[in-house]
Amino acid sequence: MERLARGIGLIVLAALLGGCLVQPGAPSTRLSYTLPTTLTVKAGQALAGTDIIYQKMEGDNARVLIKGQPATKRKGDSVDWKGSPMSGVAVDMRLRVVWYTEEELRLAGTVKVSVDEVDPKAGTLRTTSPLHFTGPVAYGVAKGARIPGTTLYYEGQTEEGAQLGGLGEYPFRKMGDSILWEGQLRPGVYIRLDVRAVQFDDRSLRVAGLVNLWLGE
């Protein structure tokens, strides 16, 4: 696990250091996140936000309903779903069967979450939604630009460190310091961005860490 975590960290850091910078100006109103995910669905229930139903374990197989049609699945088989679980949000799940019992089915893979009409607002999270995704993110922002999905923007390098606008508290961060932002991307879409300052100078700031998304009230 430690080796895997280190590998993911290096991939994220490489992408961060070589990626494009978010430039000043009106921020994008559409954001997309591609995240690794592990999901569990109880027998007789639907995978949250989808019409995929785990019926039961039958012998060595799992019986699943996909778009109302029965399907036999075994370990390693694909289970994909694409749709809009709520207004302004598109979800594309590319999953594989990990294991199953008489009680539940476990799936793992990636999920792409695309959010339209993004208008970030800081505030209290609602974390009770069954649709919850988390994974690594990395951003580079030019001086004067916002960190995507937040109201925070980079004001430049100072003697105290990287200066952030929109925090409402002590605005300076040294290399390796954390930056936490919580709120909504749009009504019903809640986000916690928990990143650290990886690199900065007077022209740009680069951050990497984790994003958590909750979809629905």
Side-chain angles (χ1 to χ4, degrees):
M1 288 297 294
E2 183 179 350
R3 184 178 299 174
L4 176 60
R6 188 183 302 117
I8 291 174
L10 290 173
I11 292 171
V12 171
L13 183 58
L16 176 68
L17 296 178
C20 297
L21 291 177
V22 178
Q23 297 296 328
S28 173
T29 59
R30 179 180 175 86
L31 290 176
S32 292
Y33 303 86
T34 300
L35 307 171
T37 189
T38 301
L39 302 171
T40 300
V41 54
K42 300 292 185 181
Q45 297 183 10
L47 183 63
T50 79
D51 55 5
I52 295 174
I53 298 173
Y54 177 41
Q55 290 184 298
K56 61 182 178 179
M57 183 175 177
E58 190 173 74
D60 293 332
N61 304 319
R63 294 288 290 175
V64 180
L65 279 180
I66 302 176
K67 296 182 179 179
Q69 297 182 322
T72 299
K73 295 292 181 179
R74 307 191 73 180
K75 291 179 182 177
D77 285 354
S78 63
V79 179
D80 296 344
W81 186 86
K82 183 185 294 186
S84 179
M86 60 182 295
S87 177
V89 178
V91 173
D92 186 355
M93 296 180 181
R94 303 300 174 97
L95 308 171
R96 293 276 174 178
V97 175
V98 177
W99 55 259
Y100 42 87
T101 66
E102 293 181 355
E103 289 77 30
E104 61 186 27
L105 171 71
R106 177 66 63 90
L107 303 164
T110 61
V111 59
K112 182 178 180 180
V113 181
S114 299
V115 185
D116 287 321
E117 299 178 11
V118 171
D119 183 20
K121 291 180 172 61
T124 303
L125 296 174
R126 293 189 181 179
T127 60
T128 55
S129 170
L131 277 176
H132 172 225
F133 305 109
T134 184
V137 290
Y139 299 118
V141 294
K143 186 175 180 179
R146 275 195 199 181
I147 298 175
T150 79
T151 56
L152 308 180
Y153 55 94
Y154 183 49
E155 293 190 321
Q157 184 179 19
T158 71
E159 291 184 359
E160 291 84 2
Q163 183 171 352
L164 296 170
L167 266 177
E169 59 178 42
Y170 187 76
F172 303 106
R173 296 293 188 273
K174 297 288 181 66
M175 206 81 76
D177 284 352
S178 62
I179 301 168
L180 178 67
W181 193 89
E182 297 179 341
Q184 291 188 73
L185 292 179
R186 56 169 291 138
V189 180
Y190 298 90
I191 178 175
R192 176 190 289 133
L193 188 69
D194 189 356
V195 296
R196 290 185 179 272
V198 176
Q199 183 187 56
F200 61 86
D201 54 31
D202 196 50
R203 294 175 298 174
S204 64
L205 166 70
R206 297 180 184 273
V207 300
L210 291 174
V211 65
N212 278 267
L213 298 173
W214 291 268
L215 310 180
E217 301 294 342

